[in-house]
Amino acid sequence: MQIHSLTETIINMKIEEIITTATATAVKVLYNQDIPQEQLQIQKTKKEFEGHLTLVVFPLLRISRKKPEETAQEIGEWLAANCEAVEKFNVVKGFLNLTISPDSWIYLLNDIHADTRFGLTPPTEQSPLVMIEYSSPNTNKPLHLGHVRNNLLGYSLSRIMQANGYKVVKTNIVNDRGIHICKSMLAWQKWGNGATPESTGKKGDHLIGDFYVAFDKHYKAEVKALEEKGMTKEEAEAASPLMQEAREMLRRWEAGDEEVRSLWRTMNSWVYAGFDETYKRLGVDFDKIYYESQTYLEGKEKVLEGLEKGIMYRKEDNSVWADLTADGLDHKLLLRSDGTSVYMTQDIGTAKLRYQDYPIDKMIYVVGNEQNYHFQVLSLLLDKLGFKWGKDLVHFSYGMVELPEGKMKSREGTVVDADDLMDAMVQNAKEMSAEMGKLQDLPQEEADKISAIIGLGALKYFILKVDPRKNMTFNPKESIDFNGNTGPFIQYTYARIRSVLRKAQETGIDIPGTLPAGTALNTKEEEIVQHIADFPAIVRQAGTDYSPSAIANYCYDLVKEYNQFYHDFSILREEDKQKQLFRLVLSENVAKVIRLGMGLLGIEMPERM
């Protein structure tokens, strides 16, 4: 009883699925019992054993009522006789190792070859809508290395979720109000002498960041002077005239004072222009930007609504709180005694506006792990306030990023600026390429463009290959290496494959749309087809686990496998025409999957290097 023909079935099914279906049928025929396919354990065969896929037999012993070896032997014999995909088998204790027939790999490669978007599932009108918030900058300073990790994770996650069939809205919440903004504004008034981005030649976000640093410098000097007069540090900080002026400016802003608001609008416009340049260069974008200045009042309104419903309570000093002790948390402040809002209130307001704007099915916040508690609280409050996705919101919590020299502090001006970092990465790529003689034959304009692709690819890959939950150290020199687990190593392999394909075209070799059966494959070729075929499962895993690193490390492993093959076997010099065409199709599809995978990370692939 042959259960399927390869030529009909392999086109629509992965080999693992064929084996799973056949095994379920074998169990039914041999032991007269149905078994759900999801209960069958089929995995890749370990390298030390012969075979491609292994069936773990132990869970089937209660059905067969026989020894592990006997059960594996019986199922193996049935599969070899009835499933064309199985060429032969061997039994190691309770493990049935299956060797897949060469034609199966050719049919599978044909299937992959025909699909230009292999592994990616496009969303439909019926797809659930996922909103992903990332970036969340403050308008008192430029984007820094920490923001780079945030933006790259958020943007990559948006592409991965789309590749898993979700509709995605990429959103940003800009923290454009509060005491920190007033500090920069006040410093500009006092020491700016009318400076503008045009008059100074500085990007607007950098200019405003300089004044934030200047405020902190003068404030610390004031505090130190007051301490020297006998005050404690706390007393000195409270008595600082500069800080009192900043608080007064915030009060005037909240009261709608036009003079303060006008300066605020002007300085923020400088910052936004600077942000836009950085985002564009980093290769990230947004479908919708929200501003906390527009959401905090919505949040206050929602909190007061919760107060009326008894979800929140008011203290004697007029402040409003939520009691979350029944949920294992504590009491959370939502409105201060003077009626001003806190971050939590603003997040509630932003959630309200988003829910009005979009039919959100899932909300993902890409925010560092120092905010874990904040999102526990936010999830509970949104749920209590009636947002259907509140309880299920996802805090994509990621670790901090540091340099080999240690932590960064924006108030002290010791942060690694995102723009400076990108400049340095591109320069490093130019120097490394020149050292290795890689781009010397190209026109300068093309060489510069490729250096930018390599430099930014190195930055993105080095950050995204790390498990997002872990803290990490970003080492610029390591990241630009053309060997090892780096972006340039993967980009170089891609460019090498593209070069081989161009040479094939130049010599008149036509790469076929479909390969014929009957080509004898070596073990490495079979392994590479199997590795390519794993790509859809890796994309699904990355979407389920919210893990760009799964894609990054898959691409690296695939490139390593291919480079071994490239080193050991000829492609263009292969005399057997059928083998040559197989290797060209194999190479083309390795390049395709690398491009698609790295594309999910927001990394561009150069056609030549």
Side-chain angles (χ1 to χ4, degrees), residues 153-373:
L153 286 170
Y155 183 72
S156 177
L157 187 60
S158 74
R159 301 196 84 158
I160 290 167
M161 296 306 282
Q162 270 187 316
N164 277 285
Y166 290 92
K167 288 188 284 191
V168 173
V169 174
K170 302 175 298 239
T171 185
N172 186 359
I173 175 70
V174 178
N175 187 0
D176 64 340
R177 61 175 290 279
I179 191 70
H180 53 290
I181 312 296
C182 292
K183 289 176 183 178
S184 295
M185 290 164 61
L186 187 60
W188 183 87
Q189 281 184 331
K190 287 180 173 295
W191 308 295
N193 298 316
T196 67
E198 292 73 25
S199 70
T200 60
K202 274 197 165 189
K203 278 179 81 223
D205 51 337
H206 287 245
L207 182 65
I208 301 308
D210 289 346
F211 288 113
Y212 183 64
V213 172
F215 178 95
D216 194 62
K217 181 182 168 186
H218 284 86
Y219 168 65
K220 281 181 176 172
E222 270 189 359
V223 169
K224 187 179 178 186
L226 291 169
E227 283 182 287
E228 286 171 356
K229 290 181 180 177
M231 286 188 182
T232 65
K233 188 179 181 186
E234 290 73 22
E235 288 170 339
E237 286 173 348
S240 160
L242 199 55
M243 187 61 81
Q244 287 176 1
E245 279 188 81
R247 289 197 187 101
E248 174 57 25
M249 181 177 272
L250 178 60
R251 279 191 289 273
R252 286 172 63 196
W253 185 93
E254 294 218 352
D257 183 295
E258 185 49 37
E259 183 187 348
V260 173
R261 288 280 178 132
S262 176
L263 175 62
W264 169 77
R265 284 191 292 268
T266 298
M267 292 177 70
N268 274 351
S269 71
W270 299 343
V271 174
Y272 299 146
F275 283 172
D276 287 346
E277 278 185 51
T278 307
Y279 287 139
K280 186 176 180 182
R281 192 174 181 196
L282 198 55
V284 304
D285 58 14
F286 308 94
D287 301 307
K288 177 79 173 178
I289 297 180
Y290 292 88
Y291 300 90
E292 290 192 0
S293 59
Q294 297 165 358
T295 68
Y296 82 105
L297 290 175
E298 298 282 353
K300 286 174 77 170
E301 185 183 297
K302 204 72 186 164
V303 167
L304 293 173
E305 184 186 305
L307 185 64
E308 283 178 26
K309 292 179 178 175
I311 299 168
M312 284 86 181
Y313 68 94
R314 194 186 291 277
K315 284 191 176 181
E316 289 178 7
D317 66 355
N318 211 37
S319 58
V320 176
W321 297 70
D323 180 359
L324 302 175
T325 52
D327 300 287
L329 303 178
D330 57 10
H331 293 258
K332 181 65 187 175
L333 173 68
L334 295 170
L335 290 175
R336 298 186 187 94
S337 55
D338 60 3
T340 57
S341 58
V342 295
Y343 278 122
M344 188 65 69
T345 321
Q346 292 159 192
D347 274 349
I348 291 169
T350 308
K352 177 189 171 185
L353 289 179
R354 286 171 173 163
Y355 192 65
Q356 286 174 357
D357 293 343
Y358 297 95
I360 300 169
D361 293 294
K362 186 180 285 293
M363 181 73 215
I364 302 174
Y365 293 87
V366 181
V367 182
N369 56 17
E370 77 278 12
Q371 295 293 330
N372 285 352
Y373 182 76

Side-chain angles (χ1 to χ4, degrees), residues 482-498:
F482 279 78
N483 295 299
N485 191 1
T486 66
F489 174 66
I490 295 170
Q491 289 172 319
Y492 181 62
T493 301
Y494 176 85
R496 168 187 273 172
I497 296 172
R498 297 303 301 163

Side-chain angles (χ1 to χ4, degrees), residues 4-15 17-18 103-104 106-115 118 513-515:
H4 54 68
S5 162
L6 275 174
T7 49
E8 293 170 1
T9 315
I10 199 82
I11 300 302
N12 298 312
M13 297 178 70
K14 290 180 64 178
I15 287 172
E17 292 169 341
I18 292 171
D103 282 355
S104 297
I106 291 170
Y107 291 129
L108 180 58
L109 183 58
N110 281 337
D111 188 22
I112 295 166
H113 189 41
D115 187 353
F118 175 69
T514 304
L515 291 164

Side-chain angles (χ1 to χ4, degrees), residues 19-51:
I19 299 300
T20 302
T21 303
T23 304
T25 306
V27 171
K28 174 69 174 173
V29 171
L30 293 169
Y31 310 118
N32 196 30
Q33 194 162 329
D34 292 312
I35 182 168
Q37 291 186 22
E38 57 271 19
Q39 287 185 19
L40 294 171
Q41 294 180 28
I42 293 175
Q43 58 200 30
K44 280 189 177 179
T45 303
K46 292 181 178 178
K47 286 196 179 289
E48 59 265 33
F49 299 110
E50 183 186 2

Side-chain angles (χ1 to χ4, degrees), residues 149 153 367-369 372 396-402 462-474 546-547 549 553:
R149 190 178 197 193
L153 286 170
V367 182
N369 56 17
N372 285 352
F396 180 20
S397 171
Y398 64 89
M400 295 298 97
V401 56
E402 298 174 4
F462 199 88
I463 284 176
L464 292 173
K465 73 176 181 178
V466 178
D467 182 336
R469 292 164 295 191
K470 294 179 179 176
N471 290 347
M472 68 168 292
T473 300
F474 176 70
Y546 308 121
S547 180
S549 63
N553 290 295

